Amino acid sequence: MEWCSEECPKGYRRTAIKGIHHCCFDCVQCSNGEISNETDKGSCIKCAEDQWPNDKNQCAPKPTDFLSYGNDVIAIVVSVISIIHFVKTSIILVIFIVYRDTPVVKANNQSLCFLILVSIMLNFLSVLLFIGRPVHVTCLLRHTSYGIICSLTMSCILTKTIMVYLAFKAVKPGSCWRKCIQAKCIHCVVFIFSFIQVLICFIWLCISPPFPEMNTHLCLEKIIIQCNEGSMVAFSIFLGYMGLLAAVSFIVAFLVRNLPDSFNEAKYITFSMLVFCSVWIAFIPAYMSVTGKNTVLVEIFAIISSNEGILACIFFPKCYIILIRPDLNTKNVLLRNAH
């Protein structure tokens, strides 16, 4: 018996031509995710989720995709940048410790400055948790560790901003605000603000913690290994609290920016929070528009740039005064700027 159509090659399937003899047919290429490993097949075979059709004639294992040191030069670059920023922050911390008895450091609350610098150092190191194959431990620690440390940074900055206002109020004779600017009260406020984020993370990890997953649907040619946030509600509350602390810090600092504040501390905080909020507002559409390892890179960029903004706006001016202009680091200049 002779066929009026030639045999379909591998990777194709037969489909009947309506209104023509059943011996006549067309050859149609297999759909995405399907193969035909024999000639003249009437149907295609669907590949398993962890496999993809190689030239439509055999199922091959899908390659995995995640941000790694072995395959991505950018992973090495961001790691080096993170470590450089960590070392730079460490140097600033040493400078503040060495010059802790000078007016410019004393006037801006030593303990809060030290806490902010240590938390920024840890924020830069937390970037390293985002690089490498996601496993259960790193998925648990990625966002929670950064969120808690970042909340400590924001809590210190917010407390620092509030203290600027209270310190101005406390100089008035008979003021009842003097008790509020004592070290115990300051540390208590920082602890409360930070503990709220710890509590949010604890509930998140108890209800539906993050976990590693192999996403086979986002891209047909490869398996994207990523961290699933678990409960999106808890993750949203977690991010929202950090945003709330940053927004309140910015608003309070902006309102008190014109007070006769020594070394313009409120103005520096205003600029730092403006940079921080701008980075994370820009992060949202960028995060939603990318996939795979690019989402991790966007997060890393946001972490590094937002913390660098805080470092540059709050601490660089003080380092300039301490190291370059020691003539401004005197009690007389401090008192003159306060009036």
Side-chain angles (χ1 to χ4, degrees):
M1 180 178 179
E2 293 187 2
W3 299 81
C4 61
S5 299
E6 294 183 1
E7 291 184 346
C8 292
K10 294 180 180 180
Y12 289 80
R13 61 178 176 84
R14 291 186 302 170
T15 179
I17 302 175
K18 190 175 181 181
I20 302 180
H21 192 274
H22 69 276
C23 294
C24 299
F25 51 84
D26 281 335
C27 293
V28 179
Q29 190 175 35
C30 293
S31 304
N32 288 334
E34 295 182 341
I35 65 161
S36 172
N37 54 6
E38 297 179 16
T39 59
D40 209 29
K41 290 284 290 184
S43 61
C44 295
I45 304 170
K46 189 173 181 62
C47 291
E49 286 191 346
D50 60 345
Q51 297 178 328
W52 68 291
N54 186 4
D55 296 329
K56 301 291 185 181
N57 57 27
Q58 62 178 346
C59 291
K62 287 183 179 180
T64 56
D65 184 57
F66 56 90
L67 189 64
S68 66
Y69 293 107
N71 300 324
D72 303 293
V73 177
I74 189 67
I76 300 174
V77 172
V78 295
S79 297
V80 171
I81 292 173
S82 173
I83 293 171
I84 290 172
H85 284 303
F86 171 81
V87 173
K88 180 174 65 177
T89 311
S90 303
I91 293 171
I92 294 174
L93 177 60
V94 171
I95 292 171
F96 269 65
I97 292 174
V98 171
Y99 292 91
R100 62 186 178 276
D101 294 325
T102 60
V104 71
V105 178
K106 281 185 174 181
N108 294 288
N109 199 306
Q110 296 176 17
S111 59
L112 286 182
C113 285
F114 295 157
L115 270 176
I116 293 172
L117 286 169
V118 170
S119 62
I120 290 175
M121 289 166 58
L122 295 176
N123 282 332
F124 286 131
L125 283 185
S126 69
V127 166
L128 302 179
L129 290 171
F130 289 81
I131 303 172
R133 185 187 181 98
V135 295
H136 190 69
V137 174
T138 55
C139 285
L140 289 176
L141 293 177
R142 273 185 182 184
H143 292 108
T144 53
S145 61
Y146 172 70
I148 292 172
I149 298 168
C150 183
S151 294
L152 174 61
T153 309
M154 292 297 102
S155 299
C156 291
I157 293 175
L158 178 56
T159 305
K160 195 176 180 68
T161 311
I162 294 172
M163 291 306 136
V164 169
Y165 176 75
L166 294 183
F168 175 73
K169 290 289 186 181
V171 297
K172 296 180 179 180
S175 174
C176 61
W177 295 107
R178 291 182 181 271
K179 294 181 180 180
C180 297
I181 59 175
Q182 295 177 356
K184 289 183 179 179
C185 289
I186 293 172
H187 296 154
C188 183
V189 172
V190 172
F191 173 78
I192 292 172
F193 286 151
S194 303
F195 180 74
I196 293 174
Q197 185 69 298
V198 174
L199 187 61
I200 292 172
C201 289
F202 178 76
I203 296 172
W204 179 18
L205 295 179
C206 289
I207 295 175
S208 181
F211 59 91
E213 71 171 357
M214 300 176 70
N215 193 323
T216 58
H217 306 290
L218 196 60
C219 186
L220 293 175
E221 294 80 16
K222 56 189 176 182
I223 299 174
I224 296 175
I225 303 178
Q226 60 188 17
C227 288
N228 188 306
E229 286 79 12
S231 172
M232 286 305 299
V233 174
F235 183 60
S236 300
I237 295 172
F238 163 84
L239 292 178
Y241 182 69
M242 285 196 298
L244 178 65
L245 288 176
V248 173
S249 298
F250 171 72
I251 293 170
V252 175
F254 181 78
L255 293 175
V256 302
R257 71 192 186 283
N258 291 324
L259 290 179
D261 168 37
S262 302
F263 299 107
N264 296 316
E265 180 72 2
K267 292 181 180 179
Y268 296 145
I269 294 174
T270 302
F271 285 123
S272 68
M273 289 297 96
L274 181 62
V275 172
F276 185 91
C277 293
S278 299
V279 168
W280 285 101
I281 289 172
F283 161 81
I284 296 173
Y287 184 82
M288 299 297 292
S289 62
V290 295
T291 58
K293 67 179 72 174
N294 291 328
T295 59
V296 179
L297 286 172
V298 168
E299 288 182 273
I300 290 174
F301 172 78
I303 292 172
I304 292 176
S305 55
S306 60
N307 282 279
E308 177 61 21
I310 295 173
L311 201 63
C313 293
I314 296 180
F315 294 99
F316 283 6
K318 296 179 181 61
C319 289
Y320 172 77
I321 292 173
I322 293 171
L323 300 176
I324 309 299
R325 295 294 305 275
D327 57 299
L328 299 179
N329 193 6
T330 62
K331 192 172 182 180
N332 290 332
V333 175
L334 174 70
L335 294 174
R336 187 168 65 249
N337 289 339
H339 294 287

